[in-house]
Amino acid sequence: MPPYLLLAMQGGGAYGSYQAGMLAEYFAQGGQPYDGGYGVSVGGLNIAQLFGTHDGTLATSKQQQAINAHELAVLWETEIASDESVYVPLKTTGLLTEGARKLLGRNLRGDLAVAVLRKADSVYDTAIAQAVGERLGNKVARSGARRHGAFAGRTI
């Protein structure tokens, strides 16, 4: 059985930028394409972008990985400048949520209190992250990239 080159990428916002730069440099230095990959959270989005193709085949994915890695690095350099680019706390919507934010501060505790009071699914406003995910996911959703470990903004 031939050896396979597999890639695993962890989650954690800042790691996404590091991963994108590492992938772009890996292919710029002539690195060979990966046979498969898995990722968690931001790592899953990066894997989806790396393996995403229009026809969903691994053969095409291997041909396009260097281009995909470059596009991913450009996305991180131009659109995702910091955590604030995708992690925006929910807005306060009234006296109760404004009071909780003032009392607990502009930090995770205050953000969590606002999310609970608003009965939100997330501590953060997910619209910005969804827009980035859709930009990545549109390509991935058409590709059928589920075989490659991630799909349309979700990781498995």
Side-chain angles (χ1 to χ4, degrees), residues 19 42 151 155:
Q19 293 165 357
V42 73
F151 61 97
T155 56

Side-chain angles (χ1 to χ4, degrees), residues 6-68:
L6 303 175
L7 179 63
M9 294 193 152
Q10 70 188 50
Y15 287 113
S17 177
Y18 169 78
Q19 293 165 357
M22 180 272 309
L23 286 169
E25 185 61 22
Y26 172 78
F27 286 108
Q29 296 293 325
Q32 71 182 47
Y34 293 98
D35 297 302
Y38 294 91
V40 174
S41 189
V42 73
L45 289 173
N46 284 346
I47 289 286
Q49 175 66 12
L50 180 65
F51 283 90
T53 66
H54 292 289
D55 67 6
T57 66
L58 183 58
T60 303
S61 172
K62 289 175 117 176
Q63 293 171 352
Q64 292 182 345
Q65 284 180 24
I67 295 166
N68 290 351

